[in-house]
Amino acid sequence: STMIAYILFTVLAILPLFIYLRNPYVLGDLRYTVTVIRIGIRMSKMKKNFSSLLDCFLDRVEKHPEKTFLIFEESSYTYSQADRESNKVARALSMHAQLKEGDTVAVFLGNEPHFVWLWLGLAKLGCVAALLNSNIRSKSLVHCFSCCEAKVLIAGVDLQGAVEEVLPALREQGIRVFILSDRSDVEGIESLSDKIEWTCDEPLSPELRANVSLKTPAVYIYTSGTTGLPKAAVVNHERVWMSAFLLTIIGVHSSDVLYLYLPLYHSSGFLMGLCGAIERGITVVLRQKFSASNFWNDCRKHNVTVIQYIGEIMRYLCNTPKKDNEKDHKVRLALGNGIRPDTWVDFLQRFGNVRICECYGATESNIGFINDVGKVGAVGREHLLYKMSCPYALIRYDTEKEEPVRNSRGFCIEVPKGKGETGLLVGKIGQRTPFYGYAKNKQQTEKKKLRDVFVQGDLYFNSGDLLRIDEEGFVYFQDRIGDTFRWKGENVATTEVTDHLLTVDFIEEANVYGVKVPGHEGRIGMAALKLKENTDFDGAAVYEHVKNFLPSYARPHFLRIQDAVAVTGTYKQLKAKLAEEGFDPTVIQDPLFFLENGKGYVPMTQEILAAITEGTLKL
Ligand SMILES: *[C@@H]1O[C@H](CO)[C@@H](O)[C@H](O)[C@H]1NC(C)=O
Ligand SMILES: *[C@@H]1O[C@H](CO)[C@@H](O)[C@H](O)[C@H]1NC(C)=O
């Protein structure tokens, strides 16, 4: 019998090797499966006995109060200090803004420790934070309040100008405005820093947030989505947990250090980064924004082991001049989205053995993928377990008509499995895979829903993204449909840019679209304009306007003056055609202008085109 035991033992020992040789991803798959099952068990426990990510933070504070939680510039804060800072914020806001459970507060702030204290403080009061994009201005800024019903705004001192610009509109809506400074001379703006300073840092009673549950909103995150003004995606506590677990899934453990420079008002920085770090109880190195020249020095200085990225960032890093010590760092994991395959290969060659985990998802989406095995180019991998719990499908899509193809019985058609055919990703909306939509925006919420997909009465979330899946189950992102394009990692809603251009007095019609630029991810903004009769194009006036009202990534970098802009019927096809024609002055007969950095719109020339193509002119 010892013989049999011995043989059995040998077979068991060798078996994994055989499986491994046949399927090189088996270990990764196994790790993924075990992790996902463990997360599933944790979530089901939480359904019975709710705890929020804030409770998780408080557990960490108790467990390792002296561990460094946040490093920002020259300062560093332990878990315990962060806890006390946020107690002060919560107490000050409770006293001076009379906040209570269920209230929504708009946070208008760049990346800095106060962002984190504010959010934790609000959570301690059972309040919901609406995380405003710190680049937005004017009409879009005001709009953000109506969709989340925030009655209080807290802004960074560097954003006071933007707040003053819309102050009359805010006061009309009865919104109280606080600024993170010690004093304010402006009527209608109250100072907050002094009030925080003078408050005690004693813990707050959990009774204050007794009604918070998995299904109540935790934060609102704004997406410019596919059309019009920003929409507030409702992110409830369950969703916060699910996103925070992403770091666990890719194998981040408690001794890791996360480098966080992505904006905290987006889901990748906030949910995956900050919330994920709290779930793991790790140290976060926070930066106001990305800097290519400081990136690796920061990583070395703080022993960073995990970084987040967007595709553009990885390319910037690869474009920096080569140095001898490039592989001298401790970064072992990179989590992000949008890296091009050539950059991916380049990055590994230059910066060494970093496991790049490319993922796919959207703030409001009920489906996501992650490629945790490092397959170059893929945004994820199909897993049976995941597909069983979150049913999704790729369906045939008609790009001309811009709608899914339906068969004679009126149902959608799934693309053949494992053939690599491109299809529209849809995710079944159900109890485990809910779609909460956008706050106070039924119309846009309905627009993302697709009915009668495979059977009468079923309901799916329409991702608006075209993907394909190869025979090994790897998922590849192909294209995004609709009225949005991406530039520098931000979504640009063409309709919003159009609205702004139309307020310039001599512009009659505007058609905004994104064009591809050699060597860049995404598309850069371009607009075809029709001028009002008997007016001349005034580049300085357009520049002044876009500079004041649009963040730099959304500004049209090229303008094309046309005699007529078709706006009906074939509108979208026309956009596609214009985008294809691009900005080559030898091809396009219409007058063309280029937005020169800091100068304004200048006539487009062959020299500018050459400089852009060669990469000597930075966009
Ligand atoms: C919790 O909800 C109940 C019922 O909706 C309400 O009566 C109670 O005041 C709430 N508690 C707090 C702390 O807001
Ligand atoms: C980084 O790691 C090295 C060696 O492992 C250690 O000596 C150093 O103190 C660490 N630095 C920080 C900031 O933790």
Side-chain angles (χ1 to χ4, degrees), residues 173-360:
Q173 294 185 41
I175 291 159
R176 278 185 77 180
V177 179
F178 290 92
I179 208 106
L180 280 170
S181 79
D182 288 328
R183 42 177 296 199
S184 165
D185 304 324
V186 182
E187 161 131 19
I189 297 184
E190 301 167 64
S191 62
L192 186 60
S193 302
D194 51 339
K195 299 181 174 80
I196 294 173
E197 193 59 36
W198 289 106
T199 312
C200 85
D201 62 4
E202 291 294 305
L204 289 98
S205 162
E207 282 301 308
L208 292 171
R209 44 183 190 273
N211 282 353
V212 174
S213 75
L214 274 187
K215 299 288 177 195
T216 51
V219 287
Y220 293 107
I221 292 183
Y222 290 84
T223 88
S224 44
T226 47
T227 45
L229 293 162
K231 293 173 291 192
V234 187
V235 179
N236 65 17
H237 288 274
E238 183 174 29
R239 194 55 213 273
V240 169
W241 274 117
M242 294 313 284
S243 317
F245 284 135
L246 216 56
L247 291 189
T248 315
I249 290 178
I250 64 168
V252 172
H253 44 68
S254 60
S255 58
D256 277 310
V257 176
L258 175 77
Y259 190 55
L260 180 49
Y261 59 85
L262 292 176
L264 285 170
Y265 55 75
H266 272 339
S267 33
S268 31
F270 183 78
L271 294 175
M272 280 150 63
L274 180 66
C275 293
I278 289 174
E279 197 280 325
R280 301 275 76 196
I282 63 176
T283 301
V284 177
V285 179
L286 183 70
R287 253 200 90 94
Q288 199 200 351
K289 58 179 196 223
F290 170 74
S291 149
S293 54
N294 288 316
F295 189 90
W296 293 111
N297 287 336
D298 279 350
C299 289
R300 275 186 282 269
K301 185 172 166 197
H302 301 293
N303 289 339
V304 169
T305 56
V306 184
I307 59 173
Q308 285 186 285
Y309 68 84
I310 52 173
E312 292 79 352
I313 297 290
M314 296 300 243
R315 191 169 45 78
Y316 292 150
L317 290 173
C318 289
N319 285 346
T320 53
K322 281 200 162 78
K323 284 191 184 146
D324 290 338
N325 63 346
E326 284 182 347
K327 290 192 169 121
D328 169 24
H329 60 77
K330 296 200 169 83
V331 176
R332 61 178 192 94
L333 272 173
L335 173 67
N337 173 253
I339 182 172
R340 293 193 320 195
D342 54 342
T343 310
W344 192 323
V345 173
D346 227 22
F347 186 89
L348 294 182
Q349 247 164 29
R350 280 192 57 181
F351 303 109
N353 193 15
V354 178
R355 186 150 64 88
I356 295 180
C357 296
E358 172 85 357
C359 62
Y360 164 86

Side-chain angles (χ1 to χ4, degrees), residues 497-512 527-533 535-539 541-543 545-546 556 559-561 565 601:
V497 180
T498 304
D499 287 349
H500 278 298
L501 289 174
L502 291 179
T503 60
V504 178
D505 56 11
F506 56 84
I507 297 178
E508 184 163 303
E509 283 166 22
N511 190 358
V512 177
L529 305 177
K530 178 178 184 291
L531 307 184
K532 285 184 184 154
E533 230 161 283
T535 58
D536 288 319
F537 176 73
D538 177 357
V542 181
Y543 177 59
H545 192 81
V546 300
L559 296 178
R560 173 175 181 170
I561 314 297
V565 174
Y601 289 99

